[in-house]
Amino acid sequence: SYVLTQPPSVSVAPGQTARITCGGNNIGSKSVHWYQQKPGQAPVLVVYDDSDRPSGIPERFSGSNSGNTATLTISRVEAGDEADYYCQVWDSSSDHFGTGTKVTVL
Amino acid sequence: QVQLQESGPGLVKPSGTLSLTCAVSGGSISSSNWWSWVRQPPGKGLEWIGEIYHSGSTNYNPSLKSRVTISVDKSKNQFSLKLSSVTAADTAVYYCARAVVVVVAATRWFDPWGQGTLVTVSS
């Protein structure tokens, strides 16, 4: 099984930058996707294929992936960005999700 | 745009079988996508259960494979999940989602998702 490790929590002040990491063995050789999940709601895709954004997702959301770490960056953080964030990778014919990171806006 | 809606019993007895259906609207289940189930125990993370293609081909999470069956009904534009021999550990919100596959890049992502349905395993 392919393990994806995320920090349990990240705290950031409004207007600042939040960086959420997703660690996995040689993850840089795979495509990573990111989801935002607000309380009581279904996950929403915010970044796919390492760094592409679906339509309707603000440019403030960006992604990168290299080596053993993928990163979701949220610039100019707003109160509405407070949520859980999950990374996802397809490996060995199975889908794998990260452990999840709770982003708190101070 | 494509929308998905889960339905099924919210309470299942231990050792019983959990059965859910996902209705697809705004698009055809026979499109070039896979159709997946993902679950989330209360307060925990996401777990992929499995998927189906309109041809009937399936892939399952190895940890659940012995208990899971996913099927498709093209005439009703829906797909279904059955999970047998359930225990309290199977209590979760169950989501259906469309898996967008990029074969040449060997990758896929989930978009959109259904709203989810809570299934509780209890006597």
Side-chain angles (χ1 to χ4, degrees):
Chain A
S1 182
Y2 190 73
V3 177
L4 295 170
T5 303
Q6 299 180 234
S9 63
V10 168
S11 297
V12 59
Q16 298 304 302
T17 298
R19 293 181 179 83
I20 305 162
T21 58
C22 176
N25 184 36
N26 198 27
I27 197 173
S29 67
K30 308 179 190 302
S31 290
V32 180
H33 320 295
W34 292 90
Y35 303 88
Q36 175 194 68
Q37 186 180 34
K38 296 183 178 180
Q41 297 184 19
V44 172
L45 180 72
V46 293
V47 166
Y48 66 94
D49 213 9
D50 292 341
S51 59
D52 291 331
R53 280 184 314 277
S55 60
I57 300 300
E59 292 183 4
R60 301 185 298 103
F61 289 83
S62 62
S64 62
N65 184 18
S66 179
N68 292 317
T69 304
T71 303
L72 174 69
T73 301
I74 311 173
S75 304
R76 302 180 299 283
V77 166
E78 302 174 357
D81 298 331
E82 188 161 286
D84 294 327
Y85 291 83
Y86 294 90
C87 56
Q88 175 245 323
V89 161
W90 187 38
D91 178 79
S92 300
S93 299
S94 291
D95 285 291
H96 305 273
F97 288 97
T99 49
T101 299
K102 180 175 180 59
V103 171
T104 299
V105 180
L106 301 172
Chain B
Q1 71 276 23
V2 172
Q3 293 183 312
L4 297 91
Q5 178 67 59
E6 306 89 349
S7 62
L11 181 64
V12 180
K13 294 187 186 310
S15 78
T17 297
L18 178 159
S19 297
L20 296 173
T21 296
C22 180
V24 179
S25 59
S28 173
I29 203 166
S30 296
S31 60
S32 301
N33 298 293
W34 286 72
W35 304 93
S36 296
W37 289 96
V38 177
R39 70 180 182 178
Q40 184 173 37
K44 297 189 178 181
L46 301 167
E47 179 181 33
W48 178 71
I49 299 171
E51 63 181 0
I52 191 164
Y53 196 64
H54 60 79
S55 64
S57 296
T58 55
N59 292 306
Y60 299 131
N61 184 326
S63 68
L64 298 169
K65 187 174 183 177
S66 64
R67 300 194 290 130
V68 174
T69 302
I70 298 176
S71 59
V72 64
D73 186 336
K74 291 186 286 186
S75 67
K76 295 183 178 179
N77 219 39
Q78 64 186 33
F79 61 107
S80 299
L81 167 70
K82 290 188 184 298
L83 180 66
S84 63
S85 303
V86 297
T87 69
D90 295 309
T91 293
V93 174
Y94 285 77
Y95 296 100
C96 57
R98 179 181 65 176
V100 179
V101 178
V102 181
V103 176
V104 293
T107 188
R108 8 92 62 61
W109 53 85
F110 299 105
D111 182 53
W113 297 59
Q115 65 182 29
T117 187
L118 174 63
V119 178
T120 301
V121 178
S122 176
S123 55

